[in-house]
Amino acid sequence: QAKRRVVLVMPAAYDAGAGDEDAWAQLAEDVYEELGAGASAFLLLDMTRNGSPAVYASSSMLDLFGCESEDILGRPWTAMCGDSTDMDDRRALEAAMYSTEECSRCLVCPTKSGEFFWNHVYLEPGARLGLQYTCLSCVDVTHLVEARGDTGANMDVVEEASRIQALQMSTVKTVLSILQGLVRNEQDHEQQGQIQGQTISGEDDGERQQREVQEHDVAEAMSSVKAALTNNSFEDLRRILLDTDDAIFASMEMRASFSLVIHDNGVERQVCVNQGNALHYAICRSAFSAALALLICCPELIGMECHWGEEVLESDVENEAPSRRLRSFNAVQLANRYGEFFEESNTDLSQLYFSTASIMQYFGKVSENLAFMNSDGPKERLQAAGSQGETLLVELMQLTAYQITRDQEAEELIYPVPPPIPYPSSRHE
């Protein structure tokens, strides 16, 4: 059943008459739920309005500049720049705002009190997600700039810079992902309302209370699912999926966004997962046992895609700019990619990722040999499967290996390998 979270057109925070202020409150609440207090400062610009004014500033953004919301909202993003800000960097950021490309620059910016600091700005336009907003993340990196001349601190500076970049990317992508979900939920609700011949404005108090209770229940269920995945507990997740209303729906609709830095054969890569469901979240958490509960309950999760962003932070080629790759991955592709990442640094973890990818790839065939998968519904399958996740995982690995061998043998029968051609003997022999 479709549900309403906020109004479809997010109101401008600086316009008191724009409408539902709960829209922005919902955004702040969801960002905190996803990232906690560790999110970087961020600003949202409305690219459909004249001058692309700021329409939302996080509390940490206001703290960073030592200002109030009225000092930023309703004004162009350049209001945070000063006379010392490099014009080329400003133009590069401005151009990226109207494109579909991410961009980052380090600017000299003043606080409201007149103190200057080095501000690392990372932005991503929401246009490629169908959104009217561009999101900027800001972090004070003055301490890193000042430490650049200290040769003994160079390694620490690089590591800290990578951590900050990862934090900013995670924050921006999470904010845009949540915005997209809020808008999509409202669109779904409007369509549902049209089918039922009613509108949101006609909702009475009883219907509103029922809707709010349902939204709260879904949010609680999603939080429980994520906790079980983080702990990699098959038994806990199975219990939640069986006993908690809306847990299955929450697993399908989860919008997980996160990033990490991986050292791949001497190359430092920043990877981000956006719009991930519960299975994507489990894979990226290496929660292989817990993922099995999701496969039993919702095997259709395997084919659903998440957005994967990958950036090479350091290149071995001199003067070569960092490269970026953006693509969509299903769960099998995601597990294989992680397996490739850890192939050199952690062989055991790499093999677990490859095995998990194979299990998901062959799950449709292998599940025919699992009696509990013949049960009618998702909860019935989970109930029949029992609570021994590790035993089931080993059984699935064995069945998958057997299925792969059978498929290879069948392929050899269809396309037999020709016998080697004997080398011609010498006339003297």
Side-chain angles (χ1 to χ4, degrees), residues 151-172:
T151 56
N154 277 345
M155 182 57 66
D156 292 337
V157 168
V158 171
E159 292 178 355
E160 178 66 4
S162 297
R163 186 194 67 81
I164 290 173
Q165 179 87 345
L167 172 65
Q168 290 185 285
M169 293 180 73
S170 176
T171 298
V172 168

Side-chain angles (χ1 to χ4, degrees), residues 296-313:
I296 295 171
C297 180
C298 312
E300 58 269 31
L301 287 172
I302 297 172
M304 295 183 179
E305 293 185 335
C306 63
H307 299 306
W308 168 277
E310 182 180 322
E311 179 178 0
V312 177
L313 300 179

Side-chain angles (χ1 to χ4, degrees), residues 68-88:
E68 304 296 329
S69 58
E70 54 266 25
D71 297 320
I72 293 182
L73 301 183
R75 304 180 66 187
W77 76 276
T78 51
M80 69 181 188
C81 299
D83 295 337
S84 300
T85 303
D86 186 87
M87 289 303 299
D88 290 337

Side-chain angles (χ1 to χ4, degrees), residues 148-310:
R148 283 190 305 184
D150 185 353
T151 56
N154 277 345
M155 182 57 66
D156 292 337
V157 168
V158 171
E159 292 178 355
E160 178 66 4
S162 297
R163 186 194 67 81
I164 290 173
Q165 179 87 345
L167 172 65
Q168 290 185 285
M169 293 180 73
S170 176
T171 298
V172 168
K173 291 180 182 299
T174 297
V175 170
L176 292 176
S177 173
I178 290 172
L179 276 174
Q180 187 183 39
L182 294 175
V183 171
R184 185 179 64 245
N185 286 337
E186 177 58 24
Q187 291 172 326
D188 292 344
H189 179 79
E190 284 190 346
Q191 294 172 358
Q192 185 72 11
Q194 292 171 359
I195 293 173
Q196 295 175 349
Q198 61 185 24
T199 62
I200 297 303
S201 59
E203 184 180 54
D204 60 32
D205 289 343
E207 292 171 330
R208 178 180 56 79
Q209 291 176 0
Q210 182 179 6
R211 170 178 54 80
E212 290 176 350
V213 169
Q214 182 188 12
E215 292 173 2
H216 178 268
D217 290 345
V218 170
E220 289 291 321
M222 187 174 294
S223 178
S224 298
V225 168
K226 290 179 70 175
L229 291 173
T230 301
N231 295 328
N232 192 21
S233 174
F234 173 87
E235 186 173 355
D236 287 352
L237 184 55
R238 175 178 176 271
R239 175 180 49 78
I240 291 167
L241 294 171
L242 285 173
D243 299 340
T244 306
D245 291 338
D246 297 313
I248 295 176
F249 174 81
S251 298
M252 302 285 286
E253 292 296 314
M254 183 182 293
R255 301 184 309 276
S257 299
F258 36 88
S259 65
L260 67 158
V261 175
I262 293 177
H263 295 275
D264 177 23
N265 294 325
V267 178
E268 193 173 61
R269 297 182 186 273
Q270 168 76 49
V271 298
C272 295
V273 174
N274 209 22
Q275 291 287 301
N277 59 39
L279 184 56
H280 300 133
Y281 191 82
I283 292 169
C284 295
R285 289 280 186 176
S286 306
F288 305 117
S289 294
L292 180 55
L294 294 171
L295 294 182
I296 295 171
C297 180
C298 312
E300 58 269 31
L301 287 172
I302 297 172
M304 295 183 179
E305 293 185 335
C306 63
H307 299 306
W308 168 277
E310 182 180 322

